[in-house]
Amino acid sequence: MSDLFLGAPHQEHHEAPPPSRRSRRDDKEHQAKQRKHRRRRSVVVLVLALALVGGAAFVVWSVVGGLFTGGSAEETVQDYPGPGSGEVQVTVASGDTGVAIGQTLHDAGVVATVKAFTDAYAANPGATSIQPGTYALQLEMRAADAVNALLDEANRVSSRVTIPEGYTAAQVYQRIYEVTTIPVEDLQAAAADPAAIGLPAEANGNVEGWLFPSTYEVEPGTTAAGLLSQMVAQTTSQLTSKGVPQDRWEDVLIRASIIEREAKHDEDRPKMARAIQNRLDIAMPLQIDAIVAYGLGKSGTELTYADTKDAQPPYNPYNVYKLPGLPPTPIASPGGASIDAVLNPAEGDWLFWVTVNLDTGETKFASTFDEHQEYRDELRAWQEANG
């Protein structure tokens, strides 16, 4: 009966004894060690992960970093050890500073940094005398060597041609050919194309008088048209800067070219400008030998008395003994002093001038023909005394 109410037969249960204090302490120490081990492992994993990320970032920056900074690993080099190798041509422009030259050389691969060059430039007392032009230099030069190379004319590959005052166009062509080897025929062809050289309409297609006398840098590859256009541009710049109205350009150049061929000293130029104007004012023929000689393709010393008479056709259009007024074109390339003389003639009533000493260029001016004859006699006496 008791089984029905009490369920299944009674089973004996044995409960585990409660853990001792030592066991609990051992468990706690074990758990602490596991937590410490897990923390240590996490730190190691984190360090390894950071190292991997940092390494990957360095690789990426090494490859593409220059795209953002514009530089490269080579820029850490402040100056090449030299002596350099290969060859490259670089151009120093007129007015370039040390910094500008340094940038040009750096861009061409000549120097490692602009700073290396500017430091060497500042340390070299002669650096400020570096001239404009194109130079043949080596790649990866020491900055100090690059400065010295630019000071050495032997490294210049451009030509420097100087055109004296009073040269005719034919003389200009010959001088250019002698210095640059640009053929005379190429220069003549360029001059025959006014548009190609920027010749103003006032010149009426004739380049005579428009090739300004100066020194020009002729870079490798410069064409005949390119060089002549520089000379024409210099002439128009001179006239413009002096305030000459464009419709007077040709007239001023004609007068200035006559003075350029006749005057020996600057102080005589304004007097000649006044004498020319005085003759034109009274419709008196100019009777200037240099003009007649130009028309005949002669030098003034070759001119004869018969040349001035011009008795038979074809008549010389530059024979100002017979024809009134100015010649049809300039007779040479005038310089700035002769142009200034035309724009600012001296005050006086002179009609004549004659050089009485061909060695010193002493020139005397006269207002009357009789006075002029006296000065001509003085010239003849000097010629006899000097053979």
Side-chain angles (χ1 to χ4, degrees):
M1 182 67 70
S2 62
D3 288 341
L4 292 174
F5 292 98
L6 296 174
H10 178 73
Q11 296 180 356
E12 184 178 0
H13 294 280
H14 302 281
E15 295 182 3
S20 65
R21 292 180 179 176
R22 180 177 181 180
S23 296
R24 289 195 297 270
R25 185 172 61 250
D26 291 343
D27 287 343
K28 290 180 178 179
E29 290 178 355
H30 177 71
Q31 292 173 1
K33 287 180 179 179
Q34 286 184 325
R35 287 195 298 271
K36 185 176 182 182
H37 177 71
R38 284 196 297 270
R39 285 197 299 269
R40 183 181 299 152
R41 186 170 57 189
S42 299
V43 170
V44 171
V45 171
L46 179 60
V47 169
L48 289 174
L50 291 174
L52 288 173
V53 172
F58 175 77
V59 171
V60 172
W61 186 258
S62 298
V63 174
V64 302
L67 298 176
F68 302 98
T69 64
S72 68
E74 290 182 356
E75 286 190 341
T76 60
V77 178
Q78 294 302 308
D79 196 3
Y80 293 128
S85 62
E87 182 178 299
V88 64
Q89 291 187 358
V90 295
T91 298
V92 176
S94 178
D96 271 0
T97 62
V99 173
I101 298 172
Q103 189 65 57
T104 298
L105 299 187
H106 173 65
D107 293 345
V110 176
V111 297
T113 61
V114 176
K115 185 178 186 306
F117 181 83
T118 53
D119 288 347
Y121 184 95
N124 191 322
T128 54
S129 62
I130 291 175
Q131 296 298 308
T134 299
Y135 296 82
L137 302 179
Q138 292 181 301
L139 294 166
E140 298 189 0
M141 298 180 69
R142 196 165 65 96
D145 293 340
V147 174
N148 289 328
L150 292 173
L151 290 169
D152 187 351
E153 285 290 323
N155 294 316
R156 181 192 291 272
V157 295
S158 60
S159 303
R160 181 179 295 169
V161 58
T162 298
I163 306 302
E165 291 85 352
Y167 262 30
T168 64
Q171 290 173 314
V172 171
Y173 302 154
Q174 186 61 33
R175 172 59 64 87
I176 292 173
Y177 168 69
E178 291 170 355
V179 176
T180 71
T181 71
I182 296 176
V184 170
E185 294 78 11
D186 289 0
L187 294 162
Q188 291 171 332
D193 185 355
I197 62 173
L199 193 65
E202 288 73 20
N204 299 312
N206 192 321
V207 76
E208 192 69 83
W210 289 87
L211 304 177
F212 194 77
S214 185
T215 297
Y216 299 89
E217 292 291 337
V218 186
E219 305 299 340
T222 298
T223 64
L227 181 53
L228 294 188
S229 65
Q230 290 183 52
M231 298 180 175
V232 172
Q234 185 70 359
T235 297
T236 58
S237 175
Q238 285 280 326
L239 294 170
T240 301
S241 66
K242 295 177 186 297
V244 182
Q246 192 162 341
D247 60 359
R248 285 201 62 206
W249 281 2
E250 181 78 351
D251 178 82
V252 168
L253 289 178
I254 290 173
R255 295 168 185 251
S257 71
I258 297 169
I259 295 170
E260 196 65 67
R261 292 304 292 254
E262 288 282 316
K264 303 299 185 294
H265 302 290
D266 285 348
E267 60 266 25
D268 294 332
R269 299 179 196 274
K271 292 182 179 180
M272 288 184 183
R274 174 56 64 189
I276 290 171
Q277 186 60 53
N278 287 343
R279 285 200 170 206
L280 294 174
D281 286 344
I282 61 175
M284 179 180 180
L286 293 182
Q287 298 179 332
I288 297 173
D289 290 349
I291 302 175
V292 182
Y294 173 83
L296 296 173
K298 294 183 175 183
S299 68
T301 57
E302 296 174 322
L303 195 68
T304 66
Y305 181 71
D307 289 334
T308 64
K309 293 300 181 183
D310 203 14
Q312 298 180 354
Y315 297 116
N316 175 8
Y318 292 83
N319 189 345
V320 289
Y321 276 85
K322 299 187 68 173
L323 300 173
L326 293 168
T329 71
I331 62 172
S333 294
S338 292
I339 294 174
D340 288 339
V342 173
L343 300 177
N344 300 282
E347 291 299 325
D349 58 357
W350 311 287
L351 292 171
F352 309 91
W353 70 78
V354 61
T355 301
V356 298
N357 186 316
L358 301 183
D359 282 344
T360 65
E362 180 185 1
T363 299
K364 294 187 176 182
F365 293 79
S367 301
T368 66
F369 184 73
D370 289 342
E371 186 181 17
H372 179 57
Q373 282 295 98
E374 292 179 12
Y375 296 149
R376 293 184 65 181
D377 291 341
E378 189 175 337
L379 168 63
R380 294 191 182 96
W382 183 93
Q383 289 174 317
E384 291 178 3
N386 291 275

